[in-house]
Amino acid sequence: MIQSAMPTVAVRPTIRLTNRVSAMQESPTLAVLNRATALIAQGVDVVDFGPGEPDFATPHSVAEAGKRAIDRGFTKYTNASGIKSLREAVAARYNKRYGTSLAVEHVITGCGGKQELFNLALALVHEDDEVIIPAPYWVSFPDQVAFAGGRPVFAQTRAEEQFRPTLASIEAVATERTRGVILNSPCNPTGAVIRESELARIVEWCVSRDAFLIFDETYELFVYDGNEHASAARWIEQYPETVILVNSMSKTFAMTGWRLGYAIAHPDIISALGKIQSHSTSNPSTIAQQAALEALTGGNEDAQRMHDAYCERRGWLVPALNDIPGFCCADPDGAFYVFPEVRAFFGKAGITDSQSFASYLLDEARVAVVPGGAFGADDFVRISYATSMERIREGVARMRAALGKL
Ligand SMILES: Cc1ncc(COP(=O)(O)O)c(C=O)c1O
């Protein structure tokens, strides 16, 4: 008889996930994308208003720089925080725009802005610290804070005020445990662009409370109708212990898949982020670093072309949505999203919330939108206009027909 070499184990081993990870939610925006993608893969014609990424190709010169990096063998480890020339290029770009004197030690580059935001939460948020985040918010902010052991606290913004964050709404939820504020302007999902005067007040308040201010300006170049992007960069040298900037190549240079973003902050914060990075991903891809260097040192023509296209789409989309009975869409100043209220449809055809509204549209109109519940605003949905004018017209026509039946 053949004896089994395997010992017999009485107790079945278990997988013991940490509370830290069990408390994390899978990005709900990805869940919608996944369902729409599955339908598209089956050959279903879905108008996809879900994506949070440009529908434009990475600019040719940028892609070529990435190819050149491969051809010349620039494919080995670099400094974990990124090559010096790229960090210098980031600093130079800000110095030119804001008259600052930032240098290499103020900049870290990583695998997307998301990595730097994650590292910042790990570096700055202590157990039970509260971090104030204006709502509606980008989905990763609260989970990153919670993962680091902190508590996200939401400051409500209002559709009537174009969802612009205000100091009053932040002060209303502040406590003695408040450790920081995360602002995102232009905002994903609302498109809100903060006014410089309000930003000034929030910066001063953070300084007076000894709270950090993380300012995520991932969509900085996409601001419309003559409005200006107000950046916290204006205060980074006056308040270097407070102001932290996060930015990304993803949206402005249509480089989402390259995974390259950066943070600008006090050198002590940058070296803390560098330490974390050196033990996690190490350097961002060398190929992406060379491509980003090309993008940052080249002109803004491609970004301007995208800006103009988004501006035209938004100009058509907002009135077209408001023309659908029941839709109520604010006219946001930036990013490539609109965030209409759809509460008027609740109570009809089994629609009870933003999730069931989005499911109804996917089933009945073959249109994918992202439920606002994912962003902390269940009466709303996010519609991305990072898709062609033709598809936008088609999607709106389908929504009008499907919602007209209710
Ligand atoms: C507000 C905001 N911040 C940061 C990011 C992260 O972008 P990435 O990691 O691609 O640089 C995103 C991406 O969707 C975003 O919308």
Side-chain angles (χ1 to χ4, degrees):
M1 195 176 128
I2 302 168
Q3 292 282 317
S4 164
M6 293 287 287
T8 317
V9 183
V11 181
R12 206 173 166 79
T14 52
I15 297 169
R16 279 184 294 264
L17 298 177
T18 58
N19 292 342
R20 200 183 313 127
V21 81
S22 301
M24 241 181 183
Q25 314 218 346
E26 197 199 334
S27 170
T29 54
L30 290 184
V32 173
L33 262 174
N34 290 347
R35 205 172 145 226
T37 310
L39 283 170
I40 293 164
Q42 288 162 27
V44 179
D45 172 24
V46 175
V47 176
D48 194 358
F49 287 135
E53 63 179 342
D55 55 315
F56 299 99
T58 301
H60 181 72
S61 59
V62 175
E64 284 301 314
K67 289 184 197 166
R68 279 198 303 278
I70 300 174
D71 289 342
R72 67 185 170 88
F74 191 71
T75 51
K76 304 292 176 66
Y77 290 134
T78 69
N79 182 301
S81 303
I83 53 175
K84 189 163 172 268
S85 52
L86 177 59
R87 294 165 71 193
E88 277 170 349
V90 170
R93 195 175 163 87
Y94 273 77
N95 292 341
K96 186 168 170 213
R97 191 157 172 196
Y98 297 107
T100 46
S101 320
L102 299 166
V104 174
E105 63 269 22
H106 296 102
V107 180
I108 183 168
T109 62
C111 309
K114 195 179 259 184
Q115 180 178 26
E116 296 316 333
L117 287 162
F118 201 88
N119 290 349
L120 280 164
L122 293 178
L124 297 176
V125 177
H126 299 243
E127 202 68 27
D128 294 331
D129 277 352
E130 292 179 359
V131 178
I132 299 178
I133 304 168
Y137 46 77
W138 178 52
V139 289
S140 291
F141 293 141
D143 274 303
Q144 291 177 344
V145 168
F147 191 84
R151 283 211 299 126
V153 173
F154 302 112
Q156 218 50 55
T157 64
R158 292 149 48 89
E160 308 83 81
E161 295 170 356
Q162 316 278 18
F163 299 105
R164 290 193 191 101
T166 60
L167 176 57
S169 65
I170 289 171
E171 269 185 318
V173 294
T175 72
E176 71 284 355
R177 296 219 59 88
T178 300
R179 165 86 178 109
V181 175
I182 303 179
L183 289 184
N184 167 219
S185 176
C187 174
N188 174 9
T190 62
V193 175
I194 195 167
R195 293 263 158 81
E196 182 151 301
S197 52
E198 199 63 27
L199 180 55
R201 278 194 275 274
I202 296 172
V203 170
E204 296 288 346
W205 182 85
C206 286
V207 173
S208 71
R209 298 283 301 236
D210 196 14
F212 62 74
L213 175 66
I214 296 176
F215 189 80
D216 175 346
E217 52 184 352
T218 291
Y219 297 84
E220 61 168 339
L221 296 187
F222 301 137
V223 176
Y224 313 110
D225 285 350
N227 290 295
E228 293 265 316
H229 168 64
S231 173
R234 225 191 95 186
W235 294 276
I236 197 159
E237 290 189 323
Q238 192 178 355
Y239 302 122
E241 297 84 6
T242 303
V243 176
I244 300 157
L245 305 171
V246 174
N247 208 332
S248 169
M249 306 305 293
S250 287
K251 320 288 173 162
T252 41
F253 294 96
M255 291 178 69
T256 46
W258 295 77
R259 309 308 303 131
L260 204 301
Y262 52 90
I264 304 175
H266 189 290
D268 290 355
I269 298 178
I270 293 300
S271 53
L273 304 182
K275 263 198 283 186
I276 299 173
Q277 206 155 289
S278 73
H279 291 297
S280 54
T281 58
S282 292
N283 60 276
S285 151
T286 52
I287 304 157
Q289 288 191 62
Q290 288 297 345
L293 183 57
E294 170 67 30
L296 290 171
T297 50
N300 272 348
E301 294 78 25
D302 290 293
Q304 187 61 43
R305 191 171 42 81
M306 291 186 253
H307 167 280
D308 294 349
Y310 293 141
C311 191
E312 187 196 343
R313 296 170 188 177
R314 168 182 161 279
W316 186 87
L317 178 62
V318 172
L321 288 176
N322 279 325
D323 206 39
I324 299 176
F327 256 88
C328 185
C329 187
D331 201 357
D333 296 327
F336 43 67
Y337 309 106
V338 289
F339 203 60
E341 185 177 339
V342 294
R343 201 184 159 70
F345 300 100
F346 294 3
K348 300 177 184 171
I351 299 172
T352 53
D353 54 13
S354 62
Q355 178 80 44
S356 46
F357 178 84
S359 293
Y360 177 84
L361 279 189
L362 195 54
D363 295 337
E364 298 296 321
R366 294 301 188 214
V367 168
V369 300
V370 185
F375 310 102
D378 206 23
D379 292 346
F380 297 81
V381 292
R382 190 189 75 178
I383 294 179
S384 159
Y385 48 91
T387 187
S388 72
M389 201 63 216
E390 189 195 348
R391 294 303 277 169
I392 292 171
R393 287 182 200 274
E394 171 67 19
V396 170
R398 289 188 194 184
M399 285 198 286
R400 174 185 278 283
L403 296 170
K405 287 192 271 176
L406 290 175

